[in-house]
Amino acid sequence: MTNKKYLSIIIFLLFIIVVSFYFKNESDKLYKEKIAEAENLIQKIDKLEKENDQLKQKIQELNTDLAVEKAIDVATKFKQELFNVNYDPDKERFSSTEEIEEKVADYVTKDQLQFTQGVLLYVGQLSQQTKSNLSVKNITFEVGNTQTETEVSLNYHIEIQFKRVGETGEKPTITNYGQMRVVKTDDGWKVSKDLPQMISINEVEEKLRKHGD
């Protein structure tokens, strides 16, 4: 084999090596680019998942805040129905179970209704015996241990005002504390438990008497 042929073969082999090296470098470069793209995509997915989790948490917080607002609204209306009572000298206040249910059924569960009947009778007697129109002067709530989208516990402080028949001037008040649970039902938000710290009618009458002295 002549030198010229050897040289041609060497040049051809060198060409093959150069081409192989070039394509190997291009292949490695492409591989690295694909790896970088995949890593970048994974980072974007992780970011989107975190943003989605944050959005879910924000929605849950908003729903819980809305639940608290609805619970407080129902609790306020319930207490107003209980204590906004006018003195009626011609009849016993809430003389029938039907009257009582009609007054508060929209705000309490069936289990709580029976207990509420006793409270309403107490309030009616309080109005009759003190010869006063009762009304809620002020009521405040604090959220208790439970605060979810379907159940809210509340601590409350209520101030009840007495406008005694035939009397003018400053209207006496009494305060009432308690705990309440409000739940979401198929019929909307309702009070499922109310535990008021109520004082006796005799104590109220004594307090009003002292106020008038």
Side-chain angles (χ1 to χ4, degrees):
M1 187 176 293
T2 64
N3 292 335
K4 189 174 182 179
K5 288 183 179 180
Y6 277 121
L7 182 60
S8 298
I9 292 172
I10 292 171
I11 292 171
F12 176 75
L13 291 174
L14 287 173
F15 174 77
I16 295 297
I17 292 171
V18 169
V19 170
S20 299
F21 182 75
Y22 171 78
F23 280 107
K24 182 178 182 303
N25 285 344
E26 288 297 314
S27 178
D28 289 345
K29 182 179 179 182
L30 182 61
Y31 175 76
K32 290 178 180 178
E33 288 177 352
K34 294 300 181 183
I35 291 295
E37 289 178 3
E39 290 176 347
N40 186 47
L41 182 60
I42 290 173
Q43 289 177 356
K44 288 182 178 179
I45 292 173
D46 288 341
K47 183 180 179 182
L48 288 173
E49 287 179 346
K50 289 179 181 178
E51 290 176 349
N52 187 50
D53 291 341
Q54 291 173 353
L55 182 59
K56 286 181 179 179
Q57 183 178 355
K58 186 64 176 178
I59 291 173
Q60 184 176 6
E61 290 173 355
L62 290 173
N63 286 336
T64 301
D65 290 343
L66 181 61
V68 170
E69 289 181 11
K70 290 182 177 294
I72 290 177
D73 180 61
V74 168
T76 300
K77 291 176 180 177
F78 170 59
K79 285 300 182 182
Q80 287 173 340
E81 288 293 336
L82 282 179
F83 289 104
N84 289 349
V85 178
N86 290 326
Y87 168 67
D88 185 350
D90 297 325
K91 63 173 288 189
E92 183 69 22
R93 190 66 179 174
F94 305 124
S95 57
S96 69
T97 301
E98 289 75 16
E99 285 183 89
I100 295 173
E101 289 186 6
E102 184 178 353
K103 188 172 178 66
V104 297
D106 289 340
Y107 306 110
V108 297
T109 62
K110 291 182 179 179
D111 292 337
Q112 175 61 26
L113 183 59
Q114 185 175 1
F115 177 77
T116 303
Q117 290 172 354
V119 177
L120 274 169
L121 289 172
Y122 164 84
V123 175
Q125 290 175 355
L126 190 60
S127 174
Q128 294 299 112
Q129 290 188 210
T130 62
K131 295 183 178 180
S132 302
N133 296 329
L134 275 57
S135 61
V136 176
K137 182 178 181 181
N138 185 46
I139 183 168
T140 57
F141 294 95
E142 290 183 359
V143 179
N145 296 328
T146 304
Q147 183 180 354
T148 70
E149 296 179 22
T150 57
E151 181 179 344
V152 178
S153 60
L154 299 169
N155 301 315
Y156 63 84
H157 170 235
I158 184 171
E159 190 174 8
I160 305 159
Q161 183 171 264
F162 289 72
K163 182 180 179 182
R164 305 188 74 175
V165 175
E167 291 187 0
T168 58
E170 183 183 353
K171 302 178 184 65
T173 62
I174 63 168
T175 56
N176 179 223
Y177 303 86
Q179 294 79 43
M180 188 184 297
R181 182 175 66 210
V182 189
V183 297
K184 186 177 183 180
T185 71
D186 293 338
D187 297 323
W189 286 87
K190 294 193 175 186
V191 175
S192 66
K193 183 177 289 186
D194 181 25
L195 302 174
Q197 304 297 317
M198 302 180 72
I199 60 178
S200 71
I201 293 178
N202 291 337
E203 289 179 281
V204 175
E205 288 182 320
E206 179 66 17
K207 179 180 175 67
L208 297 180
R209 185 188 65 79
K210 289 182 179 180
H211 181 273
D213 292 343

